[in-house]
Amino acid sequence: MNALPDDCRVVAVCGHEAAHGEALRDLETLGVVVVSSGRELYRAVAERRPGPEQLCVVPMTLGRDPRLVADTARTLRALPGGEGSREPRALLAEPFGTTTHLIAWLRAAASRVPVTSSLLVTAPAGDPFDDAELYRVASLVHRYGHHALVEVAFTGGDPDSAEGVRRCLLLGADRVVLLPAAFAVPRSPAVPGPADRTGVRIECAGPPVSRAALIRVLAERVADARRRWSERADDGITAGLTAADDHGHGHTHPPGEGHDHGHDHPHDHDHDHDHGHDHPPGEGHDHTHPPGEGHSHSHMHRHPSGEEHDHAHSHPHTHRHSDDVHSHSHPRPHPHAIAEGADRAVRSSV
């Protein structure tokens, strides 16, 4: 689907990746309501308009802001006639994208930049976990690309774009290309020390998703949400509430420490320790094409044979008993290039 439906009012709810809506104002020319999360979203959705039109809310994240999805779900649940109603006030679509999509989009953009250039992956600053995710994204763009130098910078954060450029120049770069990892496109900073930097070029590659692709993906999300409601009476809110459950402080323990916490939530411990990696049905291989874009591959695993694919691994947990000593033997971890399971898959019809 390439066009937004006429009988459905689309609300694009934005967080820091879209400068809280400012980066996507041009969508309003298509009839899309662009709002930030919270009260602005509530007012936009609670407003009743004449006619039989549906209302669909799309969280405009590229994967680094799962809290935007959860906050949007909570706002929609608070509306009269919300979750579980025969005719819900609004449908919650799946997020615009995931970090898997973002990596593929950035790799496609990087492929159009000369390999002699240095890349500076930039995005508006979020919370510490959103910012840490940008480093992971940039690392994968670097690993599976051909550019020798890939740095990270934040708009409104540390390091900012000017500092990121300075680092690239100190490392010997004479051309730095800003690669936005968000809807918001930063301004190219001035070259530091211009008297000593003759011939240095600083450019911006533009947004990771073209306007045409953005509209196509937005239409896909709306169509999927409406189909889900018509087929299963699922308004998407329940799933959205859990979007940020795995986002935040890692629940890890140093060696020798116990599992003594005062948390209210239960911890399920499977003594078999089956460390499997789950994939949605039909998505056994991570051969990702960015939604709305061309044939760009995001290979998450590299094997010596040259085949790059994504599959589940089960690491058995062996118990050995000798003189009442309970020891555990773990096999060596599979030598994959990246950590798996970090992304929540979002289906695209492309």
Side-chain angles (χ1 to χ4, degrees), residues 17-19 23 122-124 155 178-188 204-209:
E17 291 170 289
T122 64
T155 303
L178 276 64
L179 210 61
F183 298 106
V185 177
R187 294 180 179 178
S188 297
C204 184
V209 186

Side-chain angles (χ1 to χ4, degrees), residues 146-203:
H146 302 287
H147 295 80
L149 181 60
V150 179
E151 289 288 323
V152 172
F154 299 95
T155 303
D158 183 27
D160 61 13
S161 296
E163 174 63 18
V165 168
R166 190 185 73 84
R167 291 183 181 185
C168 291
L169 297 181
L170 287 174
L171 291 171
D174 57 9
R175 183 185 181 192
V176 181
V177 177
L178 276 64
L179 210 61
F183 298 106
V185 177
R187 294 180 179 178
S188 297
V191 179
D196 302 325
R197 298 293 180 181
T198 304
V200 168
R201 297 171 60 186
I202 301 175
E203 303 169 6

Side-chain angles (χ1 to χ4, degrees), residues 65-123:
D65 193 5
R67 286 194 177 90
L68 175 67
V69 183
D71 289 345
T72 299
R74 283 190 286 268
T75 299
L76 298 183
R77 186 177 59 172
L79 291 168
E83 182 180 15
S85 171
R86 285 188 173 183
E87 296 182 3
R89 177 66 61 86
L91 302 177
L92 177 59
E94 293 177 331
F96 181 90
T98 69
T99 50
T100 300
H101 296 137
L102 177 58
I103 291 164
W105 276 317
L106 291 177
R107 289 182 60 203
S111 68
R112 297 187 288 269
V113 177
V115 295
T116 55
S117 302
S118 296
L119 300 180
L120 184 61
V121 179
T122 64

Side-chain angles (χ1 to χ4, degrees), residues 5-45:
D6 295 329
D7 60 341
C8 181
R9 185 159 60 107
V10 179
V11 177
V13 59
C14 305
H16 60 77
E17 291 170 289
H20 302 283
E22 292 305 313
L24 295 175
R25 290 296 174 198
D26 62 332
L27 289 177
E28 294 177 341
T29 62
L30 302 175
V32 177
V33 180
V34 180
V35 297
S36 60
S37 62
R39 293 182 179 180
E40 190 173 350
L41 170 63
Y42 188 90
R43 287 194 296 266
V45 178

